[in-house]
Amino acid sequence: MMNHKDRRPENIAATEERLIAATVGNPVLLNKTVELEPYNPEWPRLFATLERQMREALGAKALMIAHVGSTSVPGLSAKPNIDVVLAVADSADEGSYVLPLERLGYGLRIREPDWFEHRMLKAAAIDGNIHVFSRGCSEIDRMLAFRDWLRSNEGDRKRYERTKQELAARTWKYMQNYADAKSEVVGEILERALGARHGR
């Protein structure tokens, strides 16, 4: 579940209710602080491994695969968890991509039909989250714009990192609580990123 400001819940109870509804199985409790690591040049190589696995499993059904999230931004500290966005023809058609990925040990963890038909799978040997959307989904553009802006804008990259570090030092019941707490700064940075991308 992503931390765009449009999805920010009113309170922690709303987050928990939404998380339980969207999770396949039981939500994983955190009940501790969030551990961030300095940028690791190994992260792009881990993404490349995930990309290769998905392309071999899905073939032409994988219309786009991109490295997103903090591990895709050189110089930015992050949870050592590789976020990947996968575009398919129809993310609601789980049978077309979930089963081939499950054969590799990936597991479906999030199903959000009311939010761009988003699905999220956990990778197997590599700690990775695979975010699946339909081709042309506007959320893909936002994720890529945010990544590209942080890669090229040192001021916002440092601001985002400071925010992450301050929030990571707190204790959170779920990881999603930490993600939601970043929503305000993410929304502000994303607005600048999209404005630059679209010439506003």
Side-chain angles (χ1 to χ4, degrees):
M1 298 169 73
M2 302 306 289
N3 51 356
H4 184 252
K5 66 178 182 177
D6 292 342
R7 308 186 64 234
R8 189 177 187 182
E10 294 299 320
N11 52 52
I12 290 176
T15 293
E16 186 162 15
E17 182 180 343
R18 179 167 53 87
L19 183 62
I20 291 171
T23 301
V24 178
N26 296 316
V28 177
L29 289 170
L30 182 63
N31 285 331
K32 62 179 182 178
T33 58
V34 175
E35 296 182 13
L36 301 179
E37 297 183 3
Y39 178 78
N40 187 340
E42 181 69 15
W43 290 338
R45 289 191 282 274
L46 294 176
F47 162 73
T49 298
L50 291 172
E51 180 183 24
R52 184 175 62 254
Q53 290 176 351
M54 287 187 285
R55 291 201 181 280
E56 289 175 355
L58 301 177
K61 294 176 182 176
L63 304 178
M64 186 204 71
I65 301 174
H67 190 185
V68 294
S70 293
T71 61
S72 69
V73 180
L76 182 61
S77 61
K79 304 185 306 295
N81 182 280
I82 310 301
D83 279 302
V84 179
V85 60
L86 165 65
V88 296
D90 180 5
S91 57
D93 180 12
E94 295 180 9
S96 67
Y97 62 90
V98 171
L99 291 177
L101 292 175
E102 283 181 338
R103 294 188 190 106
L104 296 179
Y106 290 46
L108 181 65
R109 292 293 294 149
I110 297 291
R111 178 185 289 120
E112 297 182 282
D114 59 345
W115 188 67
F116 302 110
E117 288 288 358
H118 170 242
R119 304 296 191 271
M120 191 272 282
L121 294 92
K122 293 289 292 184
I126 294 173
D127 190 358
N129 294 331
I130 316 305
H131 299 277
V132 188
F133 297 97
S134 299
R135 171 176 38 199
C137 175
S138 59
E139 185 61 18
I140 295 174
D141 185 54
R142 286 192 285 269
M143 295 170 79
L144 296 177
F146 188 74
R147 177 200 67 185
D148 294 346
W149 181 259
L150 290 182
R151 284 177 173 177
S152 63
N153 190 291
E154 183 179 8
D156 272 341
R157 184 169 64 250
K158 288 183 175 179
R159 182 185 176 214
Y160 184 50
E161 184 167 55
R162 285 194 302 271
T163 300
K164 281 157 51 88
Q165 290 169 340
E166 290 168 4
L167 293 172
R170 303 180 191 175
T171 298
W172 303 97
K173 183 174 182 179
Y174 297 105
M175 185 65 74
Q176 188 61 38
N177 299 136
Y178 163 74
D180 287 337
K182 296 185 294 178
S183 293
E184 185 173 350
V185 70
V186 168
E188 292 172 4
I189 293 172
L190 184 56
E191 187 173 347
R192 288 191 285 277
L194 291 173
R197 174 168 283 202
H198 300 298
R200 295 196 299 268

